[in-house]
């Protein structure tokens, strides 16, 4: 018998529980076939609990999560809770308290999935964005003065220190070495591209750029280094996605460009991400929200949650099981479902979970 992993499951709001159940189903099958054990413990943090108790995520919960190997998150977001409360109180709190300083977001088009990009397919849309996950405008540094008056001033600063930048870059260079296009047999070099704005944000991205080249020269001479301004990155993500391999960027730009990336890979029904603390407890989530209008109907697509589970196994080191899930997902997108859209897949949520689970081979 292989290892045992303890997984905290926060299914969350809306369709979160439905899609998470399918991810858990698939993970259980994968663990049986690949000879390791998964122990799931469910937590009910989310909008419903907040409305009943006024509590988002108590500090005791953070301490509890530290006892787990990893966390699987469904979705947070409730139509009756003001925007920001659950996002900041649960999702961002977990990312910050557990110091999940990497947000790993593959942009990968699977066969059979429709993309809005003309003449582009799985061959072209196949890269990864590494978004720094703890700094930038997300730190909360700033405030108002003269609030409510005609002279009101609002400041929300982008904040980075060298330590944060260096640890993110180190992860990105290592990732490019291990999973870049050359490493995957798709070209003659592994490339890490820094996405920034050195022509205007000269302080923040000046720091990133210096750190990037210093580390690259000293420790990763085998990795090809590129630099792109964020605005140009957006154009190329649409026009020439095949130019990219591994992209590293700050938190705010990373938030924005990964939604663009997600839509080019088929949207929220498939895009998944990992909030990673390479030395600690990571958390995996479908990028999409809680989709309240589809709640309980069994029509939402669970593939993004299943892909989050797949990324989780990869990060835990269960490479073979992770690959088997990915292959099964590709089979389902290519051969089975009509579209990723809720209600139009030709199968129910749990049937799609079954299709993936059945296809997992040893
Ligand atoms: C994401 C989301 C979050 C973010 C929100 C919900 C706080 O957009 O995971 O990309 O801005 O990071
Ligand atoms: Mn976002």
């Amino acid at each position: 018998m292989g290892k045992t992993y303890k997984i905290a499951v926060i299914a969350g709001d809306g369709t979160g529980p439905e899609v998470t159940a399918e991810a858990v189903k698939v993970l259980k099958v994968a663990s049986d076939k690949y000879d390791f054990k998964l122990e799931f413990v469910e937590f009910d943090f989310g909008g419903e609990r907040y409305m009943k108790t006024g509590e988002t995520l108590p500090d005791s919960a953070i301490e509890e999560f530290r006892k787990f190997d990893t966390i699987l998150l469904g979705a947070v977001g409730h139509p009756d809770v003001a925007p920001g409360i659950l996002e900041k109180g649960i999702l961002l709190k977990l990312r910050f308290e557990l110091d999940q300083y990497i947000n790993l977001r593959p942009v990968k088009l699977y066969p059979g999935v429709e993309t809005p990009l003309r003449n582009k397919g799985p061959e072209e849309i196949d890269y990864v964005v590494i978004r720094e996950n703890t700094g930038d405008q997300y730190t909360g540094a700033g405030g108002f003065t003269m609030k409510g008056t005609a002279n009101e001033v609002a400041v929300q600063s982008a904040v980075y220190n060298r330590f944060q930048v260096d640890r993110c870059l180190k992860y990105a260079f290592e990732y490019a070495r291990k999973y870049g296009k050359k490493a995957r047999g798709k070209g003659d070099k592994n490339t890490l591209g820094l996405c920034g704005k050195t022509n205007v944000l000269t302080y923040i991205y000046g720091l990133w750029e210096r750190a990037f080249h210093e580390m690259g020269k000293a420790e990763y001479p085998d990795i090809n280094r590129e630099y792109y301004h964020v605005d140009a990155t957006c154009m190329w993500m649409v026009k020439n996605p095949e130019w990219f391999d591994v992209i590293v960027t700050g938190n705010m730009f990373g938030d924005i460009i990964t939604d663009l990336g997600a839509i080019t890979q088929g949207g929220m029904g498939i895009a998944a991400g990992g909030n990673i603390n390479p030395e600690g407890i990571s958390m995996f989530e479908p990028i999409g929200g809680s989709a309240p209008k589809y709640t309980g109907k069994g029509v939402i697509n669970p593939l993004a949650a299943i892909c989050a589970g797949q990324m989780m196994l990869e990060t835990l080191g269960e490479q073979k099981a992770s690959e088997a899930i990915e292959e099964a997902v590709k089979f389902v997108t290519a051969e089975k479902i009509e579209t990723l859209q809720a209600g139009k897949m030709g199968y129910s949520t749990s049937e799609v979970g079954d299709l993936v689970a059945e296809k997992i081979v040893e």
Side-chain angles (χ1 to χ4, degrees):
M1 194 71 204
K3 287 189 185 162
T4 299
Y5 303 98
K6 285 187 72 180
I7 302 171
V9 179
I10 309 172
D13 301 314
T15 53
E18 295 164 56
V19 296
T20 307
E22 299 314 309
V24 168
K25 179 198 281 176
V26 168
L27 285 168
K28 278 184 177 155
V29 171
S31 66
D32 282 347
K33 295 237 161 120
Y34 286 88
D35 206 31
F36 54 92
K37 226 171 148 260
L38 299 176
E39 278 173 22
F40 297 95
V41 179
E42 291 187 23
F43 293 86
D44 68 350
F45 301 110
E48 293 296 332
R49 177 170 166 140
Y50 172 73
M51 286 194 303
K52 269 187 237 140
T53 66
E55 191 173 67
T56 47
L57 189 71
D59 293 338
S60 60
I62 300 284
E63 290 318 308
E64 185 69 23
F65 289 140
R66 290 189 203 279
K67 298 178 197 149
F68 286 80
D69 291 299
T70 187
I71 304 170
L72 186 63
L73 180 75
V76 291
H78 195 290
D80 302 328
V81 179
I85 293 178
L86 301 171
E87 291 87 338
K88 281 191 180 169
I90 299 179
L91 184 63
L92 296 181
K93 183 165 177 176
L94 280 163
R95 287 179 184 171
F96 278 78
E97 293 291 322
L98 295 175
D99 204 17
Q100 294 164 340
Y101 61 87
I102 298 296
N103 197 325
L104 183 66
R105 298 191 163 181
V107 180
K108 207 171 190 177
L109 181 69
Y110 285 145
V113 174
E114 208 180 319
T115 172
L117 302 188
R118 189 161 48 97
N119 301 333
K120 301 293 176 189
E123 198 46 45
E124 288 82 21
I125 302 172
D126 179 16
Y127 58 96
V128 174
V129 178
I130 295 173
R131 163 187 175 189
E132 199 289 330
N133 214 26
T134 62
D136 226 351
Q137 283 95 327
Y138 280 72
T139 57
F144 299 106
T145 51
M146 294 170 279
K147 193 174 178 187
T149 73
N151 291 314
E152 177 168 348
V153 177
V155 177
Q156 193 135 18
S157 303
V159 178
Y160 270 115
N161 65 31
R162 181 78 193 232
F163 167 75
Q164 284 175 308
V165 172
D166 276 342
R167 68 179 181 173
C168 178
L169 288 172
K170 179 170 187 285
Y171 181 90
F173 276 116
E174 293 288 337
Y175 190 93
R177 193 178 262 170
K178 200 164 165 201
Y179 298 109
K181 284 193 167 165
K182 182 180 176 191
R184 291 188 289 122
K186 260 192 97 165
D188 57 3
K189 55 189 178 210
N190 293 323
T191 298
L192 180 63
L194 172 65
C195 165
K197 187 75 185 170
T198 53
N199 52 350
V200 178
L201 305 183
T202 47
Y203 305 133
I204 288 284
Y205 281 101
L207 168 58
W208 274 89
E209 196 181 35
R210 266 182 288 120
F212 176 64
H213 290 301
E214 275 174 33
M215 187 179 288
K217 257 186 222 141
E219 291 171 57
Y220 301 94
D222 53 313
I223 312 287
N224 178 45
R225 269 173 279 135
E226 293 182 348
Y227 170 82
Y228 333 108
H229 289 322
V230 64
D231 42 0
T233 306
C234 291
M235 290 201 302
W236 295 329
M237 282 171 72
V238 172
K239 191 173 162 284
N240 297 98
E242 66 280 5
W243 288 355
F244 297 113
D245 186 350
V246 182
I247 300 175
V248 64
T249 190
N251 206 348
M252 191 75 253
F253 291 167
D255 177 46
I256 299 165
I257 70 169
T258 54
D259 265 29
L260 175 56
I263 202 67
T264 67
Q265 69 180 120
M268 296 303 171
I270 192 84
N275 302 278
I276 295 176
N277 176 340
E279 298 87 33
I281 295 136
S282 302
M283 174 170 74
F284 298 84
E285 53 173 336
I287 293 183
S290 57
K293 71 175 180 187
Y294 296 116
T295 306
K297 296 201 165 85
V299 295
I300 194 90
N301 179 354
L303 290 177
I306 292 170
C307 290
Q310 177 254 316
M311 289 181 74
M312 189 184 90
L313 292 189
E314 180 167 87
T315 308
L316 287 172
E318 295 294 341
Q319 196 66 33
K320 289 212 168 92
S322 155
E323 279 164 21
I325 296 179
E326 188 169 24
E327 286 312 308
V329 169
K330 282 187 190 164
F331 167 78
V332 170
T333 58
E335 310 287 337
K336 293 288 178 183
I337 60 176
E338 296 291 318
T339 144
L340 299 177
Q341 279 175 45
K344 297 184 183 156
M345 296 185 291
Y347 297 90
S348 70
T349 304
S350 83
E351 282 168 347
V352 174
D354 291 340
L355 287 170
V356 177
E358 282 159 17
K359 194 68 192 171
I360 293 174
V361 287
E362 277 155 79

